[in-house]
Amino acid sequence: MLGVIVVFALSWLLLWLFSREHITVLGIIPNGRRLKEFSIGLILMALFCMINLLGQAYFREITYVRNPDYGFWESLNGVWWTYKAALFEELIFRGALLYLLIKKTGINWACLISAIAFGIYHWFSYQMFGRGLIPMIYVFLLTGAAGWMFAYAFARTRSIYAPLGLHFGWIVISIVVFSEGPLGNSLFVIEGEAVELGGWEQLLFFLWQTVIIPASITWYLIKRYSLNQK
């Protein structure tokens, strides 16, 4: 939580130094519309993530079984951890820096720069260096596409709630429900010996995450909001 507080304070300082604006310009004050945006983003990405992981499980010939050692309090701690992780990254990549970039370069360039930074950041958070060029490109495209989607959601809604909901919805399902992340075994764990995805199957799930999901969210945002892009 200390990291979130530090990033929040730095964001406040950056906004004051470079635009003489209050941190509330990031749309952090909750209201009915913003909470609805958070909830819709959470639900959509939770569904997209479940389809992704259960679909992969089908083709990898594995099943998920309930982890008896993971109870209510462990689940609660896992949800809190993923929420803090999502909030921390949103404040960095879709907070003051993105807001200032949008004012300087316009929405499209700002979202692209934010997406590139988000992709590069995950080389370090996923410890990708030394694992080969292809895995690094793969991770960059996956996380970069997500970063662009989150950035565009911020730009369209003028609030951090929508990208936070999208981000949190994905990682809480993948990490807390299906044990895909740094917390280890969580609510459901894999049973059976997994087989490698075939070429077309791997391509399908790659396109699902880098094209289909961002395109769907973008289409929704364009239909729902009417901000003029620069």
Side-chain angles (χ1 to χ4, degrees):
M1 195 63 186
L2 178 61
V4 172
I5 295 172
V6 170
V7 173
F8 187 87
L10 289 174
S11 299
W12 198 321
L13 180 62
L14 283 172
L15 288 167
W16 176 250
L17 288 176
F18 290 98
S19 66
R20 290 294 189 269
E21 291 181 279
H22 195 269
I23 197 166
T24 53
V25 298
L26 302 181
I28 61 173
I29 304 300
N31 58 35
R33 179 180 65 82
R34 290 168 181 168
L35 292 176
K36 181 179 178 181
E37 291 165 353
F38 174 86
S39 301
I40 291 173
L42 171 64
I43 293 168
L44 283 176
M45 288 300 282
L47 289 173
F48 282 140
C49 186
M50 288 182 66
I51 293 170
N52 179 61
L53 293 175
L54 292 176
Q56 289 192 43
Y58 173 80
F59 288 107
R60 294 169 65 197
E61 300 178 8
I62 59 173
T63 57
Y64 286 99
V65 296
R66 180 72 167 83
N67 179 7
D69 299 323
Y70 201 79
F72 173 78
W73 291 111
E74 289 82 6
S75 299
L76 194 62
N77 287 332
V79 170
W80 177 235
W81 187 92
T82 51
Y83 179 80
K84 288 188 296 182
L87 180 59
F88 177 78
E89 292 185 357
E90 289 310 307
L91 284 172
I92 292 177
F93 294 98
R94 268 73 62 178
L97 292 175
L98 179 57
Y99 178 83
L100 293 170
L101 271 174
I102 290 173
K103 292 189 69 175
K104 182 71 174 179
T105 67
I107 290 176
N108 290 332
W109 276 108
C111 290
L112 179 61
I113 294 169
S114 179
I116 292 171
F118 197 59
I120 293 173
Y121 162 79
H122 279 88
W123 285 343
F124 297 93
S125 64
Y126 287 179
Q127 299 178 348
M128 292 305 301
F129 285 101
R131 297 190 182 183
L133 180 62
I134 299 302
M136 287 180 67
I137 293 174
Y138 186 81
V139 166
F140 176 81
L141 292 175
L142 284 178
T143 57
W148 185 88
M149 175 176 56
F150 300 153
Y152 194 73
F154 173 83
R156 279 277 173 176
T157 63
R158 300 187 183 184
S159 169
I160 204 167
Y161 280 85
L164 178 59
L166 292 167
H167 195 165
F168 178 53
W170 184 274
I171 65 173
V172 74
I173 295 298
S174 61
I175 294 176
V176 179
V177 178
F178 291 109
S179 306
E180 296 280 340
L183 298 186
N185 290 340
S186 298
L187 196 59
F188 291 93
V189 294
I190 289 175
E191 181 179 66
E193 192 70 27
V195 300
E196 292 293 328
L197 290 176
W200 72 268
E201 296 160 351
Q202 192 169 29
L203 176 62
L204 173 64
F205 289 107
F206 175 76
L207 292 176
W208 173 255
Q209 294 180 72
T210 59
V211 178
I212 298 173
I213 295 176
S216 300
I217 297 297
T218 299
W219 177 83
Y220 170 78
L221 291 168
I222 291 173
K223 295 289 287 184
R224 178 70 176 79
Y225 302 95
S226 59
L227 275 179
N228 293 322
Q229 296 188 43
K230 296 181 181 179

